[in-house]
Amino acid sequence: MSADVRNIDALSTQTRRYPPPEGFAATANATAAIYDAGLEEFWAAEATQRLDWATPFETVLRWEPPYAQWFLGGKLNAAYNCVDRWVERGHGDRIAYHVVPDDGPAAAGCRDLTYAELQRHVVRFANGLRSLGVGKGTPVGIYLQMVPELPIAMLACARLGAPHTVVFGGYSGKAVAERVADMGCTVLVTQDEAMRAGRTWPRKANADEGLAGGATQVEHVVVLRRTGADVPMQDGRDRYWDDLVADVSDDPRSCPCEPMDSEDLLFLLYTSGTTGKPKGVVHTTAGYLLGAATTHHYVFDLRPESVYWCAADVGWITGHTYIVYGPLANGATSVLYEGTPAHPGRDVWWSIIEKYGVDILYTSPTAIRAHMKWGPQYAQAHDLTSLRVLGSVGEPINPEAWEWYRTHVGGGTCPVVDTWWQTETGHILITRLPGVTTLKPGSATKPFPGVDAAVYDDAGNVVGPGGGGNLVLRRPWPGMMRGLFHDDARYRESYWSKYPDAYFAGDGARVDEDGDFWLMGRIDDVTNVSGHRISTIEVESALVSHPAVAEAAVTGRADHDTGQAIVAFVSLTGDDTGSAELATTLREHVAQQIGKLARPAEIIFAPELPKTRSGKIMRRLLKNVAEDEPLGDTSTLVDPSVVETMQAQVARAARDD
Ligand code: WTA
């Protein structure tokens, strides 16, 4: 860690205050008055101004807990709002995406995609999909890396009224097949290989492997040539993207945008819950699109001349909302970067910002901490004076990282927006507004206008200033999930059973004397590794599916770089006591089953897992062991010595590091 970071660490950052920069408030998109309008009034006004409707809506909100419906009677098309209308209004030459390939902004493969070009690509691919029988209501799976064809495929689906599910490129083929099968997709769009950090990674091969084990309803696989690798193509099922669109029209009139009801399904995005089966989070058309566009406009203070960059992956909700639907619905210019922060050099991010004059950067605390570890010299070597607003999302941002971001990336003046939200919420719900809010490093500050957030104790009472509790939302918002796909019972159980009158987010939080929110991480069996949600039970199931494993219990421990790291406690079948080789094998096995992102950082072998007399694994205790914290009460354990053996192993592993 550099000297700068240590100095910042030493400051009492939590008590610092940063009012909006001078001059910012005068021209900001949001002024303090934004908080004055009523909930329905605010969103109705935004919906009328911000979106184009084929048929205007009649009813703003119908709230029959736990299901909300917004903008009933209205018809619109998301792709029309994101693409066509900008071309029709004479902005066809405006750049939608500065496309930066894996090799960085100096590479020959950089290209700019205007709104007019985007429209032609979307129309062609939509026509291609139509030739495979895709139409309104046909679910389509998308398993692509951060290539422009990813937003193009999503928008082509939206144009046709075909709901999509995007599966993050880092997931295994098995995870792809599971999601695609659950949604009933008949078409899967993928690529030959992905390019990341200067290397190629299989995608089509993963997809084939996954499809071979399930998802038999998939009739067509469309394969984008990214690296040109020779991948096996299955006759009758597989088509190359370029062949599919070779002879189709790119004239928008050849494939009109399907007018969709406000509440028609736009997409499913699968996310981890507290059981092994991923949850298909339902997002519908109008409310989601409006929430995405409105928050994008106000939270980032988007200007007509802005060059905006969200460095997340489109495969997560952050990318859906803030790389694709929000920015395009606002007619914005964005950066779409295929690669990683360290290739071709550790300054690649800063050279992207310099090259394109990026004024808004949105990323995760994990990425900021990685840059922090490498030192500020990489950022300092570039002109970053174009930056105006910095955003953070995905995990609680520690005040040290917040300060580093503001100082070394933001030149000591840019406001840092910490934004809290979830796959389920669709868009940002707790955030500061630049030009309005006084910032506190580490706090997500206030609910967005029209959002009613609170902290409840277990009995459902509001917790007063300073006290910790559960974050809840008490009124509906436009982009909120419309349930879990085909699973009403799980929707009610996961989000609406803890409190009768409020949405239970699964996060711990406290509110301070000024009404500012401080997020404290997940309180359920979901870990957050580098901002990626991973269910501990999903990892346990993957481990137990290996023949050597008898039982597994997984927990998250605090990690300086990744926020949390996965620790797995494993007991083996037979007399095996475990070895470094087996630990490697099991980590690879998890990567195979779920994806590399779920690989445990550490595997602790134990002859037995600590259980209560009723046979339940004591997860709380395992977390304490993993974090090397006092164990508390172990009197309910059948055999307390089990835990001591584990503690010894954790201590040994720490020495080996
Ligand atoms: C966590 C990502 C603290 C939280 C958009 C939430 C945060 C989960 C923040 C959702 C933040 C997200 N501060 N924690 N600013 N933003 N989280 O569904 O635990 O991938 O419940 O959505 O990330 O993760 P998801």
Side-chain angles (χ1 to χ4, degrees):
M1 203 180 286
S2 75
D4 285 310
V5 173
R6 268 200 306 277
N7 287 341
I8 290 167
D9 268 344
L11 297 172
S12 170
T13 49
Q14 297 220 1
T15 55
R16 290 187 136 202
R17 300 285 181 275
Y18 295 101
E22 245 171 69
F24 208 117
T27 57
N29 288 344
T31 63
I34 195 173
Y35 291 103
D36 296 345
L39 166 91
E40 292 189 33
E41 194 190 344
F42 174 76
W43 289 115
E46 290 292 335
T48 310
Q49 290 158 23
R50 201 168 289 287
L51 299 181
D52 273 38
W53 297 83
T55 308
F57 58 89
E58 286 156 10
T59 308
V60 179
L61 168 65
R62 185 176 299 154
W63 178 222
E64 287 160 3
Y67 289 99
Q69 292 177 295
W70 285 84
F71 311 117
L72 291 167
K75 280 186 186 289
L76 77 174
N77 183 282
Y80 178 80
N81 275 277
C82 287
V83 184
D84 295 63
R85 64 168 167 161
W86 303 120
V87 180
E88 288 173 14
R89 287 181 193 176
H91 300 310
D93 291 340
R94 191 187 287 171
I95 292 164
Y97 291 116
H98 292 294
V99 177
V100 183
D102 180 57
D103 282 341
C110 290
R111 63 187 168 116
D112 290 340
L113 205 57
T114 64
Y115 275 89
E117 287 166 330
L118 184 62
Q119 183 186 40
R120 286 197 290 275
H121 285 293
V122 170
V123 169
R124 282 178 77 192
F125 195 59
N127 273 325
L129 286 176
R130 270 211 306 201
S131 72
L132 301 178
V134 175
K136 184 175 176 179
T138 316
V140 174
I142 304 176
Y143 179 49
L144 289 169
Q145 203 71 39
M146 287 286 288
V147 288
E149 287 80 1
L150 175 48
I152 288 167
M154 293 163 76
L155 294 162
C157 289
R159 186 176 194 93
L160 298 171
H164 58 71
T165 192
V166 178
V167 185
F168 172 60
Y171 274 121
S172 67
K174 182 167 178 281
V176 176
E178 189 179 11
R179 286 155 176 77
V180 163
D182 191 68
M183 194 181 185
C185 301
T186 49
V187 176
L188 176 66
V189 183
T190 186
Q191 63 192 86
D192 49 7
E193 292 177 321
M195 281 303 299
R196 262 176 91 70
R199 278 188 52 191
T200 59
W201 306 83
R203 285 293 175 269
K204 170 67 163 59
N206 290 356
D208 282 342
E209 197 183 311
L211 294 182
T216 43
Q217 83 283 33
V218 171
E219 292 162 14
H220 304 283
V221 178
V222 180
V223 184
L224 174 77
R225 294 184 216 256
R226 169 62 184 88
T227 65
D230 188 15
V231 291
M233 298 288 280
Q234 188 175 311
D235 245 3
R237 188 194 71 175
D238 303 350
R239 293 281 296 276
Y240 278 111
W241 178 303
D242 44 342
D243 294 341
L244 184 70
V245 302
D247 298 319
V248 300
S249 170
D250 64 4
D251 183 334
R253 286 165 304 187
S254 70
C255 183
C257 294
E258 185 71 35
M260 303 296 284
D261 284 343
S262 290
E263 285 297 334
D264 275 337
L265 180 60
L266 181 61
F267 65 85
L268 296 185
L269 189 59
Y270 286 84
T271 190
S272 293
T274 53
T275 72
K277 189 174 176 286
K279 302 191 275 199
V281 172
V282 173
H283 283 295
T284 56
T285 307
Y288 169 79
L289 191 65
L290 181 73
T294 306
T295 51
H296 181 253
H297 175 79
Y298 290 117
V299 172
F300 300 112
D301 197 47
L302 185 79
R303 303 288 169 86
E305 67 280 8
S306 278
V307 180
Y308 157 89
W309 182 20
C310 169
D313 194 293
V314 171
W316 305 114
I317 192 69
T318 304
H320 277 60
T321 306
Y322 295 110
I323 298 179
V324 182
Y325 288 111
L328 295 177
N330 286 330
T333 295
S334 304
V335 170
L336 184 72
Y337 175 44
E338 185 180 34
T340 62
H343 174 87
R346 285 176 173 177
D347 67 340
V348 60
W349 273 28
W350 319 124
S351 50
I352 290 173
I353 290 170
E354 186 170 32
K355 174 172 175 182
Y356 296 106
V358 170
D359 66 331
I360 305 165
L361 174 64
Y362 191 30
T363 185
S364 68
T366 290
I368 299 162
R369 285 192 297 266
H371 289 296
M372 219 168 138
K373 203 155 91 176
W374 299 332
Q377 64 276 19
Y378 300 103
Q380 280 160 2
H382 292 271
D383 179 2
L384 305 183
T385 50
S386 57
L387 285 171
R388 245 175 2 101
V389 179
L390 303 175
S392 168
V393 62
E395 21 167 346
I397 178 162
N398 43 313
E400 299 76 29
W402 195 103
E403 291 279 0
W404 193 93
Y405 194 23
R406 183 176 179 279
T407 307
H408 295 295
V409 180
T413 55
C414 293
V416 174
V417 209
D418 180 12
T419 62
W420 177 89
W421 58 295
Q422 308 177 301
T423 304
E424 293 88 338
T425 72
H427 52 82
I428 294 169
L429 290 191
I430 302 181
T431 178
R432 72 74 173 111
L433 295 173
V436 180
T437 322
T438 291
L439 302 176
K440 298 173 184 173
S443 168
T445 70
K446 301 266 195 292
F448 190 78
V451 173
D452 182 6
V455 174
Y456 278 6
D457 67 14
D458 278 333
N461 305 308
V462 173
V463 178
N470 299 319
L471 179 66
V472 298
L473 299 159
R474 296 186 291 198
R475 287 160 79 194
W477 60 96
M480 74 189 287
M481 69 194 299
R482 304 298 199 261
L484 291 172
F485 191 59
H486 290 167
D487 206 343
D488 172 63
R490 193 173 177 196
Y491 174 58
R492 290 174 188 273
E493 166 63 28
S494 303
Y495 306 100
W496 299 95
S497 63
K498 177 121 181 125
Y499 303 114
D501 61 340
Y503 169 88
F504 172 67
D507 277 293
R510 71 184 163 84
V511 180
D512 68 16
E513 302 68 32
D514 305 322
D516 285 328
F517 284 72
W518 298 78
L519 277 306
M520 303 190 313
R522 302 288 306 189
I523 47 177
D524 51 15
D525 291 329
V526 176
T527 55
N528 190 332
V529 181
S530 303
H532 302 158
R533 274 168 67 169
I534 300 162
S535 132
T536 52
I537 291 162
E538 230 174 320
V539 182
E540 286 167 8
S541 314
L543 285 165
V544 173
S545 72
H546 191 279
V549 176
E551 239 181 346
V554 165
T555 180
R557 71 155 149 70
D559 182 275
H560 184 75
D561 297 327
T562 56
Q564 283 196 307
I566 295 177
V567 180
F569 296 84
V570 171
S571 71
L572 298 170
T573 47
D575 297 330
D576 201 344
T577 54
S579 61
E581 292 74 50
L582 184 58
T584 308
T585 308
L586 293 181
R587 294 177 72 239
E588 283 318 308
H589 181 70
V590 174
Q592 189 75 27
Q593 295 288 309
I594 306 173
K596 286 201 175 69
L597 70 166
R599 257 191 320 210
E602 207 178 307
I603 293 191
I604 313 272
F605 293 108
E608 235 182 292
L609 299 181
K611 289 196 188 139
T612 61
R613 281 167 229 280
S614 61
K616 277 177 77 172
I617 297 177
M618 293 270 285
R619 286 164 200 285
R620 172 187 61 76
L621 206 67
L622 291 174
K623 197 173 181 67
N624 292 351
V625 173
E627 299 203 320
D628 204 11
E629 280 179 353
L631 296 183
D633 182 16
T634 57
S635 60
T636 52
L637 285 181
V638 179
D639 178 4
S641 74
V642 166
V643 186
E644 285 154 29
T645 322
M646 287 178 175
Q647 279 180 309
Q649 276 211 49
V650 172
R652 205 168 49 239
R655 274 199 307 279
D656 292 347
D657 271 354

